[in-house]
Amino acid sequence: MIRHLFKLIWNRKKSNFLLITEIFFCFLVLFAVLSLVVHNVRNYSKPLGFEHENVWLLTMRPASDSTELNRQNLEQVLQRTKAFQEVESVALTTSNAPFAFSQMNNNLAYGQKEIMANEYLVQDDFKEVMQVQVSQGRWFGRQDDASHHQPIVINRALQQQLFEGEDPLGKLIPRNDSLNYQVVGIVEHYRPSSEYTAEEPGFFVRIDLPKNENAFYGELLIRVKRGTGVAFEEKMVKELSGITKDWTLEVSTLEKMRQNKSKLAIVPLIALAVVCSFLIFNVALGLFGVLWYNISRRNGEIGLRRAMGASSGQIYRQFIGEVLVLATFSLLLGVAFAVQFPLLQVFEVESAVYFIALGMAVSIIYLLVMGCAFYPSRQAAAIHPAIALHEE
Amino acid sequence: MITLKNIEKVYQTKTIETVALHNVNLHIPKGEFVSIMGPSGCGKSTLLNIMGLLDEPTNGLVEIDGTPIGRYRDKELSQLRNQKIGFVFQSYHLINDLSVLDNVELPLLYRSGVSAAETRRLALTALEKVGLSARTKHYPSQLSGGQRQRVAIARALIGQPEIILADEPTGNLDSVMGEEIMNILLQLNSVDGTTIVMVTHDENMAHKTERLIRFFDGQQVSDAKTATHEFQKV
């Protein structure tokens, strides 16, 4: 029977061409949207590599150009913030703090390999503030004060891409002609950009304030005690303003920043999903109409098949089967196109994402066409054979 | 072979009640070639549909091989149709998108336990019987009316049915082609012993069969043995 259905659909390919094309495009749109959804969901389910709750970001923007004065104020701010009872730990960083709309990257070369990686400048206490877990080696600290090299902690993605199978601990990576980075530790995950962003290669560089007398860092990450709220924020800003005078100080929680970043990822996804749903709905309506029309046009054939010995159940299954075969023709084309994405590594997305989306899109298309064919096929099966034959 | 007892068929709409068949009693023994005649709308096709288990009588009993089929469900009726009955229609009822061979194979798609190779072999044999073995890959649109009807006969034959029900099989054909088709049916009856019930408007064709039953206004008005010309008033 399956061979018969394939033959029937193949011989009717001209009249089924539009339907096959419609299902093909529906599959492609569905595949694209589902790839995006699967990509985001998979990223969301992976660990961020840090704890952002109860962490605030104090952004400081000095009004004066005096490097000396600004640096003096910065150190006072650091001392004062650490001294608050509500504060557990603080660490200076740069504008690419977690969930910030800013990125910093740099080329790293090791052997013949060179890759672009995110660079995070952080103080020693960043590990405590963000509760970063070092899985191999160590975090940097006082023991690195006397080091000739600049200690860095890298993430696993960087290790895999730059060092491949090699153990990176202790390895030197040239920073410039006179200075090398030295890998002292590895963290499994660090995804500060957003929960929906894939892991990218990155490394932490130690901020050593005494060694960089003129350097200024405008972002301070503050881990506060659980339950600390707006009242302390006001008090802290007031006190720090007393030190910094005309600086602009702004406090925001990492949770709020996370929500903003999430919206940025989710809103386009929702918009796409809505457009896709409308498209699917239209395709479903079209399919339903065409199937209904086709079946009513084929009453004579239904009567004939009943006369030849087909039961009403077999008629029902035949029409459902025909639609599935029709969808299979479209899906063969669609899958041949879609499978190029994982094979060619388009958009550098994991192959698994594309394969999952492919499987889901195929299943949804089959369910959709079966859903659309259900009622017309039932109607076809219910046609009285004598009446159907008479209509021819 | 086929027995109809007190068959009545009434079509009912909201306002009108139409009696298509009234008190029909018939027995068609195995191997007989029977023709049914009567004016349009007298109930011939309805009778054929009831004999072919495509329609149910409003009242009365249908027996095939002595078994009443009144309580049979759709699946059992379909199996019985598939195994025992072959149909030939005036308008051929071929599927235009299938080749001659695929059209002929159709009844065996609904019979379990027949392999694709066996189906192909039986289809070729049936086409050979009707003289169309050279047209297996043609499509119905590429055939003449007579050839189409021969394909339809081959399709009715493939399942080796005991009964063939033919509804005006020569109705759409000219006299020469009609003659050809009639000869094939006569041969099937005389050589293979197939029971044939044929509805026709053509007196000449009807007189080539063994028995002629006439209908008028849903009632059997005569039943005669044509070969011996014994006339029996009902």
Side-chain angles (χ1 to χ4, degrees):
Chain A
M1 186 49 102
I2 290 171
R3 215 171 59 126
H4 175 72
L5 292 180
F6 267 93
K7 203 179 280 180
L8 205 60
I9 297 297
W10 181 251
N11 290 348
R12 285 174 181 163
K13 58 185 174 295
K14 273 186 190 166
S15 57
N16 287 325
F17 175 75
L18 282 177
L19 212 55
I20 290 174
T21 311
E22 197 178 12
I23 298 173
F24 169 74
F25 282 111
C26 183
F27 167 79
L28 288 189
V29 172
L30 205 56
F31 170 69
V33 173
L34 285 172
S35 295
L36 205 62
V37 171
V38 172
H39 177 66
N40 281 304
V41 168
R42 276 171 69 93
N43 286 338
Y44 185 81
S45 62
K46 285 176 187 166
L48 282 172
F50 58 88
E51 295 291 334
H52 69 278
E53 277 161 19
N54 301 314
V55 178
W56 297 358
L57 178 70
L58 172 67
T59 310
M60 302 166 281
R61 296 288 174 260
S64 146
D65 288 338
S66 165
T67 315
E68 203 181 328
L69 182 65
N70 288 341
R71 179 58 186 263
Q72 207 180 340
N73 283 345
L74 179 67
E75 282 178 22
Q76 280 186 37
V77 165
L78 205 56
Q79 292 305 319
R80 182 64 197 106
T81 315
K82 275 180 188 170
F84 284 119
Q85 272 191 346
E86 291 85 346
V87 172
E88 287 185 349
S89 51
V90 297
L92 282 169
T93 184
T94 45
S95 57
N96 60 345
F99 306 127
F101 288 89
S102 176
Q103 265 195 316
M104 253 171 77
N105 45 34
N106 214 334
N107 265 327
L108 290 184
Y110 180 76
Q112 298 298 310
K113 203 116 190 196
E114 188 173 332
I115 63 161
M116 185 71 85
N118 289 318
E119 184 178 351
Y120 311 106
L121 270 67
V122 295
Q123 272 191 304
D124 293 354
D125 285 344
F126 180 85
K127 182 176 177 290
E128 276 69 48
V129 177
M130 297 311 298
Q131 297 183 358
V132 173
Q133 300 296 319
V134 178
S135 60
Q136 221 178 316
R138 60 175 178 82
W139 190 256
F140 32 62
R142 283 274 171 85
Q143 65 268 48
D144 297 304
D145 285 353
S147 173
H148 295 297
H149 309 298
Q150 190 158 21
I152 59 168
V153 174
I154 64 172
N155 69 358
R156 187 63 71 191
L158 177 63
Q159 185 252 317
Q160 283 165 348
Q161 287 186 32
L162 192 63
F163 296 97
E164 292 174 341
E166 229 176 301
D167 181 3
L169 292 181
K171 296 284 184 316
L172 298 177
I173 299 168
R175 182 189 173 189
N176 52 40
D177 292 341
S178 56
L179 189 65
N180 285 326
Y181 288 131
Q182 184 171 36
V183 181
V184 297
I186 302 172
V187 295
E188 282 306 313
H189 301 281
Y190 189 66
R191 292 190 300 130
S193 189
S194 147
E195 289 162 302
Y196 300 100
T197 314
E199 187 99 38
E200 290 171 345
F203 64 105
F204 298 96
V205 180
R206 184 178 184 228
I207 292 177
D208 189 354
L209 279 181
K211 270 190 188 172
N212 298 287
E213 287 172 4
N214 293 327
F216 183 84
Y217 303 94
E219 276 75 22
L220 184 65
L221 287 163
I222 306 163
R223 174 164 287 280
V224 293
K225 287 181 177 155
R226 192 178 292 275
T228 306
V230 188
F232 170 66
E233 184 191 323
E234 278 174 17
K235 180 182 139 194
M236 182 180 78
V237 171
K238 200 176 171 185
E239 281 200 31
L240 296 181
S241 297
I243 299 168
T244 58
K245 306 283 189 280
D246 49 358
W247 282 19
T248 307
L249 300 180
E250 201 181 305
V251 178
S252 50
T253 64
L254 287 199
E255 173 56 23
K256 186 90 181 161
M257 291 167 75
R258 180 195 68 79
Q259 286 171 10
N260 289 340
K261 265 298 184 74
S262 295
K263 273 183 203 159
L264 208 69
I266 287 173
V267 169
L269 204 65
I270 292 172
L272 261 177
V274 169
V275 172
C276 184
S277 307
F278 270 113
L279 182 83
I280 290 171
F281 182 67
N282 274 318
V283 168
L285 277 183
L287 260 176
F288 185 82
V290 170
L291 293 174
W292 185 278
Y293 173 70
N294 274 349
I295 287 170
S296 61
R297 229 170 31 120
R298 289 169 64 188
N299 274 357
E301 184 191 325
I302 294 165
L304 170 78
R305 288 180 186 273
R306 293 299 310 269
M308 298 296 116
S311 64
S312 65
Q314 281 170 315
I315 294 290
Y316 170 75
R317 285 193 292 278
Q318 181 193 327
F319 279 97
I320 292 278
E322 276 186 25
V323 178
L324 290 179
V325 169
L326 206 68
T328 303
F329 278 114
S330 308
L331 291 177
L332 284 175
L333 284 173
V335 169
F337 180 80
V339 87
Q340 304 305 315
F341 283 75
L343 292 180
L344 302 173
Q345 290 285 302
V346 181
F347 305 126
E348 291 177 354
V349 172
E350 286 173 278
S351 298
V353 169
Y354 288 125
F355 285 120
I356 293 169
L358 196 69
M360 286 170 75
V362 167
S363 312
I364 290 173
I365 290 287
Y366 274 129
L367 284 174
L368 180 77
V369 297
M370 273 175 71
C372 291
F374 173 73
Y375 188 69
S377 303
R378 257 182 63 142
Q379 291 295 100
I383 294 174
H384 197 281
I387 295 170
L389 278 169
H390 185 68
E391 279 184 21
E392 179 86 359
Chain B
M1 185 91 245
I2 306 174
T3 307
L4 305 180
K5 290 180 183 167
N6 304 319
I7 295 294
E8 199 162 280
K9 181 72 185 177
V10 180
Y11 293 107
Q12 193 139 21
T13 62
K14 277 180 186 171
T15 50
I16 307 166
E17 189 180 89
T18 311
V19 180
L21 292 172
H22 177 65
N23 195 29
V24 176
N25 289 284
L26 262 181
H27 174 71
I28 296 162
K30 192 174 165 56
E32 197 171 45
F33 195 159
V34 182
S35 54
I36 299 172
M37 290 194 77
S40 295
C42 72
K44 306 183 297 289
S45 295
T46 304
L47 182 74
L48 213 64
N49 285 337
I50 288 172
M51 282 185 190
L53 316 179
L54 292 170
D55 206 351
E56 289 168 11
T58 312
N59 289 307
L61 188 74
V62 180
E63 286 179 4
I64 303 280
D65 280 342
T67 312
I69 50 89
R71 286 176 187 271
Y72 277 29
R73 284 178 297 180
D74 178 64
K75 203 176 170 184
E76 294 159 322
L77 288 173
S78 302
Q79 275 174 1
L80 205 60
R81 270 201 301 272
N82 183 258
Q83 281 159 7
K84 287 199 182 283
I85 306 169
F87 291 88
V88 179
F89 305 98
Q90 180 181 2
S91 50
Y92 328 120
H93 277 298
L94 298 177
I95 298 174
N96 288 326
D97 298 307
L98 292 178
S99 69
V100 163
L101 197 60
D102 293 327
N103 265 291
V104 174
E105 286 179 354
L106 204 60
L108 294 189
L109 284 179
Y110 302 109
R111 192 176 293 185
S112 50
V114 188
S115 69
E118 178 68 356
T119 302
R120 181 59 40 110
R121 191 188 66 75
L122 288 168
L124 289 171
T125 310
L127 281 167
E128 207 176 305
K129 238 177 196 171
V130 297
L132 272 183
S133 41
R135 296 276 193 275
T136 53
K137 288 182 180 167
H138 284 62
Y139 283 84
S141 57
Q142 298 168 313
L143 303 177
S144 68
Q147 286 172 327
R148 287 185 207 183
Q149 195 58 294
R150 282 196 272 164
V151 176
I153 293 173
R155 184 183 60 196
L157 292 181
I158 190 174
Q160 292 156 337
E162 293 168 38
I163 310 160
I164 286 184
L165 301 177
D167 193 357
E168 297 188 49
T170 60
N172 278 359
L173 305 174
D174 61 36
S175 57
V176 180
M177 282 186 180
E179 206 62 49
E180 269 182 31
I181 296 301
M182 194 60 199
N183 287 338
I184 293 171
L185 293 175
L186 284 166
Q187 203 178 354
L188 279 174
N189 175 251
S190 58
V191 178
D192 299 346
T194 311
T195 309
I196 302 178
V197 180
M198 178 179 76
V199 165
T200 183
H201 281 291
D202 191 327
E203 286 281 350
N204 289 334
M205 299 295 179
H207 280 96
K208 287 182 180 175
T209 65
E210 289 172 50
R211 181 178 165 197
L212 171 61
I213 303 167
R214 288 184 191 274
F215 270 78
F216 189 78
D217 277 353
Q219 294 188 64
Q220 224 173 307
V221 290
S222 71
D223 190 342
K225 285 274 181 193
T226 56
T228 54
H229 297 279
E230 283 174 12
F231 194 75
Q232 182 193 335
K233 280 265 183 197
V234 179

